[in-house]
Amino acid sequence: MLYSYIKPTKKSAITKDFQLLALFFGISFTMVFGFYIFLVYMQSSLSSKKEEYIKESVALTKNIQNTKENIAIAKKQLALSQQMQTKNIILKDSIKNLFDLVPDTITLTQAKIESNALILYGSTPSKDIYNFMLQAPLRSIFHKTYTSFYPTQNGWYNFVSTNYLLEDELDE
Amino acid sequence: MFSSLYPKIFISIVVGLEKISIYCEIFSKNKLKKNFLKVFETSYLDNQVEAYIQECIKESPIYYIAMLDNSTMQGAFNSCDDATIRDMCDINKITYKCYDTWAYYTSKYDLELHQNEYKNIGLDLIYSPFVILANFFVDKIDLGIAMYALVEETFLTLVIFKNSKLLYSEHINMEYQKNKSPLNTKTQDDSQNLLEGIDLDSINLDSADSSFSNLVEIEEITFDDNGSLDEFDSLDDSTTHLDIQKVEEVLDHNYERFLFIQKALNSFYKDDSLESDFIETIYIADALEIDSNFRNYIKDELFLNVIIRSIDLPKEIAKLAKVEIDAI
């Protein structure tokens, strides 16, 4: 039974000093915890970035590889084109030389240029003109020369001249 | 949750005429760790008293300050019924609480005054002297009819119980009453019952017609060779060194108390509304270490059996406070 006229005030074990202490501890803990959360977030963020960078790195490496292959192909193509260009130049020169070889009196109707052979089709007023004007330089150039004449109605001769370069003799 | 980590402090304040008693008990895990009492020579809460109390409560935030209500306007009702109490007084001016079948009350204004005076340190509990008295004699109250008195420095609390039922109560501020000159009230009718009081002015020892001539002759007070008073053999040697004025004051106060008790008994017996049985015993809770003269006054003049128990008021209040706080 309560005998007092008045009720006692509520007493709190949490004194002002304790409250102050709790406040400081609370602030410190909050700061430490906040920093911990920040670190966790940063770690998570960096982990995801790392994965992206790894993927990017793999992609770039693959890209580099592809580029290298492309460069190699391009180089090959360049070499090929250069080779072809050289060959073309040689061929052009060869054709120029050939046409320089053919005198005015002889008419070429077809020329087949092969890797180690030259086949000429044409017409000549006479066999002698062909032999002296064209056959001689051809012989000086090619290792083997074969010529066939076919008389025409107008007294000229169509000829087929087959000229070969032998590889063995080329290597020598 | 953290309360159990701190000790509990109970402070009781008893305000006397010119002194304040501050009693402090410190409990740790429900065991009394230490207790101490200090008395200040002042009757109000000054800086010194406040500083002392602050020092006491510094040890723990769980402290309770209890005080004995020393209001003049306080008393008890013989009923706890709200309607009955309303008929007796203006309920708006008092605060009352029930105790079994009776109630004790005090002035609301005085309660606020106490709380205001102690607002710096905070007052938690205020107890009525009637509660102290009832609890102190709890083993006697239900043993028939008897009068119970709490004797404080300037207060006298009187209650008559019959089998735990309160029949009569009175709270007397002796200083206040003295100023009102109650002791000088003369009876006009000489044939009034002796219990109503003795008219001191009418006593004429020298007169042959005096009724005293039929009584045992009053011995003349004489001094022995040492200069001490023979009749006052209850006074020990230390009192011979007291100021004669103080001795006279003590004797005067004892007689005053006796007269108040006598007057209370008269009122009780005269009141037709009360079940006024004859009272044979008075139980006195003595907070002052009153001398045997008081006992003799009552025994000889009122023909009552006197049983005096010493009461340590600050301790009793602290005990009551602890029981109440533990019960909350």
Side-chain angles (χ1 to χ4, degrees):
Chain A
M1 190 177 165
L2 305 178
Y3 297 118
S4 169
Y5 285 119
I6 58 174
K7 282 185 184 167
T9 51
K10 269 197 171 177
K11 306 294 177 183
S12 173
I14 302 173
T15 59
K16 280 185 183 170
D17 292 340
F18 188 88
Q19 284 175 0
L20 204 63
L21 202 66
L23 181 69
F24 282 131
F25 267 102
I27 290 171
S28 304
F29 180 74
T30 305
M31 286 171 68
V32 168
F33 187 71
F35 188 63
Y36 166 74
I37 297 294
F38 172 73
L39 287 176
V40 168
Y41 167 74
M42 285 302 291
Q43 186 191 17
S44 166
S45 169
L46 288 173
S47 294
S48 62
K49 273 189 183 174
K50 178 184 162 189
E51 284 172 8
E52 285 174 15
Y53 289 146
I54 288 173
K55 282 183 189 171
E56 201 175 322
S57 167
V58 167
L60 284 173
T61 305
K62 199 174 174 184
N63 202 13
I64 287 169
Q65 191 62 34
N66 290 341
T67 306
K68 278 186 181 172
E69 286 173 2
N70 290 337
I71 287 170
I73 292 169
K75 276 186 179 173
K76 278 185 187 172
Q77 287 177 346
L78 179 67
L80 189 63
S81 70
Q82 281 178 348
Q83 191 181 12
M84 284 174 70
Q85 189 183 18
T86 306
K87 276 189 177 174
N88 288 341
I89 290 170
I90 294 171
L91 189 61
K92 188 182 85 179
D93 289 341
S94 301
I95 294 171
K96 186 174 179 274
N97 291 337
L98 175 66
F99 288 144
D100 288 341
L101 270 177
V102 176
D104 296 335
T105 53
I106 294 174
T107 306
L108 285 179
T109 57
Q110 192 179 358
K112 282 185 184 176
I113 302 173
E114 293 176 0
S115 56
N116 58 344
L118 175 65
I119 304 168
L120 295 172
Y121 299 87
S123 64
T124 179
S126 67
K127 288 184 185 178
D128 292 329
I129 292 171
Y130 174 82
N131 289 332
F132 288 118
M133 301 298 283
L134 189 59
Q135 178 87 353
L138 284 173
R139 274 199 180 156
S140 68
I141 296 167
F142 297 93
H143 299 118
K144 286 196 175 168
T145 306
Y146 305 99
T147 308
S148 304
F149 292 96
Y150 304 96
T152 62
Q153 287 179 350
N154 59 0
W156 283 36
Y157 289 93
N158 290 333
F159 64 89
V160 178
S161 172
T162 311
N163 305 284
Y164 295 100
L165 282 171
L166 296 173
E167 286 180 10
D168 294 336
E169 291 191 22
L170 270 174
D171 293 335
E172 285 175 8
Chain B
M1 186 173 76
F2 298 107
S3 301
S4 55
L5 298 173
Y6 290 100
K8 269 189 190 170
I9 300 175
F10 294 93
I11 294 174
S12 61
I13 301 171
V14 177
V15 180
L17 179 61
E18 288 171 357
K19 64 175 185 180
I20 284 185
S21 303
I22 310 291
Y23 176 71
C24 180
E25 279 184 345
I26 300 175
F27 287 86
S28 180
K29 292 189 172 99
N30 233 22
K31 282 184 185 168
L32 182 64
K33 209 167 95 176
K34 52 183 172 180
N35 57 344
F36 37 89
L37 170 75
K38 184 148 184 179
V39 180
F40 293 88
E41 299 298 323
T42 176
S43 61
Y44 60 94
L45 184 72
D46 62 7
N47 290 337
Q48 207 181 358
V49 178
E50 195 174 322
Y52 179 75
I53 295 173
Q54 293 284 8
E55 190 62 33
C56 290
I57 63 178
K58 204 169 61 171
E59 199 172 317
S60 167
I62 314 295
Y63 63 89
Y64 299 94
I65 299 176
M67 183 183 171
L68 182 67
D69 183 17
N70 58 353
S71 311
T72 305
M73 299 297 168
Q74 64 173 308
F77 300 118
N78 56 5
S79 166
C80 201
D81 181 46
D82 198 44
T84 310
I85 292 171
R86 279 177 195 277
D87 290 337
M88 290 186 196
C89 65
D90 184 359
I91 208 167
N92 295 321
K93 289 185 181 172
I94 63 162
T95 299
Y96 74 91
K97 288 210 82 172
C98 285
Y99 189 118
D100 289 343
T101 57
W102 55 281
Y104 51 95
Y105 71 90
T106 188
S107 158
K108 263 186 190 167
Y109 174 76
D110 287 334
L111 267 186
E112 283 169 13
L113 210 63
H114 288 321
Q115 286 178 281
N116 199 45
E117 188 186 350
Y118 291 83
K119 69 179 176 196
N120 285 348
I121 53 168
L123 208 53
D124 295 295
L125 305 154
I126 301 176
Y127 291 109
S128 166
F130 290 94
V131 168
I132 305 292
L133 191 55
N135 279 354
F136 191 67
F137 287 115
V138 68
D139 55 328
K140 303 289 180 197
I141 281 175
D142 53 358
L143 299 177
I145 190 169
M147 181 180 243
Y148 301 85
L150 173 61
V151 177
E152 305 163 78
E153 194 179 358
T154 54
F155 291 90
L156 181 62
T157 306
L158 300 169
V159 186
I160 295 175
F161 281 107
K162 181 181 179 182
N163 298 327
S164 300
K165 192 178 167 189
L166 185 140
L167 299 180
Y168 178 85
S169 68
E170 194 168 355
H171 182 77
I172 302 155
N173 180 337
M174 288 170 56
E175 287 299 310
Y176 176 72
Q177 293 292 336
K178 194 176 175 181
N179 291 337
K180 276 177 62 180
S181 309
L183 300 179
N184 296 332
T185 304
K186 292 183 185 180
T187 55
Q188 298 295 324
D189 189 0
D190 290 335
S191 63
Q192 278 184 354
N193 194 309
L194 271 175
L195 286 174
E196 285 185 347
I198 300 166
D199 182 358
L200 296 173
D201 289 340
S202 68
I203 294 173
N204 184 1
L205 292 171
D206 296 330
S207 168
D209 293 330
S210 166
S211 58
F212 276 96
S213 61
N214 295 327
L215 300 173
V216 174
E217 187 179 9
I218 295 172
E219 292 181 10
E220 188 178 343
I221 297 169
T222 57
F223 288 87
D224 63 11
D225 294 336
N226 293 329
S228 63
L229 301 169
D230 289 335
E231 297 303 315
F232 298 94
D233 56 3
S234 61
L235 298 173
D236 58 20
D237 290 336
S238 62
T239 58
T240 56
H241 301 292
L242 284 175
D243 187 5
I244 298 297
Q245 190 182 0
K246 273 195 180 170
V247 172
E248 286 175 356
E249 275 181 19
V250 169
L251 295 173
D252 192 25
H253 283 145
N254 282 336
Y255 191 67
E256 278 175 32
R257 291 187 188 103
F258 156 72
L259 289 176
F260 283 126
I261 291 172
Q262 188 185 52
K263 193 180 165 201
L265 274 174
N266 280 344
S267 303
F268 173 67
Y269 286 136
K270 273 190 170 178
D271 195 339
D272 296 329
S273 64
L274 299 171
E275 310 166 22
S276 46
D277 285 351
F278 187 70
I279 293 172
E280 293 179 354
T281 313
I282 178 169
Y283 294 93
I284 297 174
D286 174 17
L288 294 178
E289 292 178 12
I290 45 178
D291 59 26
S292 60
N293 282 324
F294 182 59
R295 177 200 286 265
N296 292 338
Y297 287 142
I298 298 171
K299 201 172 166 183
D300 297 338
E301 302 294 332
L302 302 178
F303 308 106
L304 296 173
N305 294 326
V306 181
I307 296 167
I308 298 179
R309 271 191 200 172
S310 286
I311 182 173
D312 187 341
L313 265 180
K315 230 178 190 174
E316 280 298 311
I317 292 166
K319 186 171 128 189
L320 205 59
K322 186 177 185 308
V323 168
E324 191 156 331
I325 294 300
D326 288 344
I328 291 176

